[in-house]
């Protein structure tokens, strides 16, 4: 017999550094157990923002799925800047190479709504353009 789902929560936590707190309390799970499991699975992504989908069941057990890091964070890191442009049409704040764009697209391909790397690159390039980051050929 399948367990009854109590709640599904989407959140972004720091990789390898999840701590019990009000963010996790809303999920209705055993926080220390989740933190231990999450930190073990994301130890190699320490310092990155890691999206996670937590499915909490009525018996206080849980499952979670770890997603790839957000595109914005990856682009900022690749361009070596703190934040995107307030006015991306007129103010450009950084540059990334086509090679860096392809690496990000390959990493994000599993979570994007496309099948091939070219479409993924166009999606990532659009995000970069909206942040004021120029993709150099």
């Amino acid at each position: 017999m399948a367990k009854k789902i109590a709640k599904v929560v989407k959140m972004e936590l720091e990789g390898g550094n999840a701590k019990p707190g009000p963010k996790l309390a809303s999920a209705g799970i055993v926080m220390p157990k989740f933190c231990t499991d999450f930190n073990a699975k994301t130890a190699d992504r320490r310092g990155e923002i890691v999206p996670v989908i937590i499915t909490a069941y009525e018996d206080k057990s849980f499952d979670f799925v770890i997603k790839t890091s957000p595109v914005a964070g990856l682009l900022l890191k690749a361009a070596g800047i703190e934040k995107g442009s307030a006015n991306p049409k007129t103010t450009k704040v950084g540059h990334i190479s086509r090679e860096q764009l392809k690496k990000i697209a390959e990493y994000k391909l599993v979570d994007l709504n496309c099948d091939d790397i070219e479409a993924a690159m166009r999606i990532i390039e659009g995000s970069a353009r909206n942040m004021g980051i120029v993709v150099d050929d």
Side-chain angles (χ1 to χ4, degrees):
M1 188 166 133
K3 298 180 191 178
K4 286 205 171 201
I5 296 174
K7 192 183 271 190
V8 177
V9 182
K10 295 178 184 179
M11 56 181 65
E12 293 181 343
L13 302 170
E14 187 177 334
N17 197 22
K19 298 181 184 98
K23 217 180 202 186
L24 285 173
S26 68
I29 58 173
V30 180
M31 289 185 276
K33 171 97 173 92
F34 170 78
C35 290
T36 304
D37 294 349
F38 179 82
N39 290 341
K41 283 190 175 180
T42 60
D44 60 325
R45 294 171 66 181
R46 190 170 295 278
E48 286 182 34
I49 298 297
V50 180
V52 62
I53 300 173
I54 304 168
T55 305
Y57 300 102
E58 288 182 347
D59 64 352
K60 298 288 186 195
S61 64
F62 62 88
D63 291 326
F64 65 94
V65 178
I66 296 171
K67 298 290 190 177
T68 57
S69 297
V71 170
L74 298 170
L75 287 169
L76 291 174
K77 189 175 179 181
I81 55 177
E82 294 282 318
K83 62 181 188 168
S85 173
N87 190 353
K89 281 191 172 187
T90 58
T91 310
K92 304 300 179 194
V93 293
H95 294 266
I96 63 170
S97 67
R98 182 89 28 210
E99 174 111 1
Q100 288 173 308
L101 179 76
K102 187 172 183 177
K103 278 185 184 176
I104 293 170
E106 287 170 348
Y107 174 72
K108 287 295 291 181
L109 189 61
V110 294
D111 285 346
L112 294 175
N113 292 333
C114 59
D115 296 337
D116 65 338
I117 195 69
E118 294 301 318
M121 286 175 68
R122 285 193 302 274
I123 291 169
I124 305 299
E125 190 170 5
S127 297
R129 197 175 318 115
N130 286 333
M131 294 173 65
I133 298 172
V134 178
V135 177
D136 299 323
D137 285 329

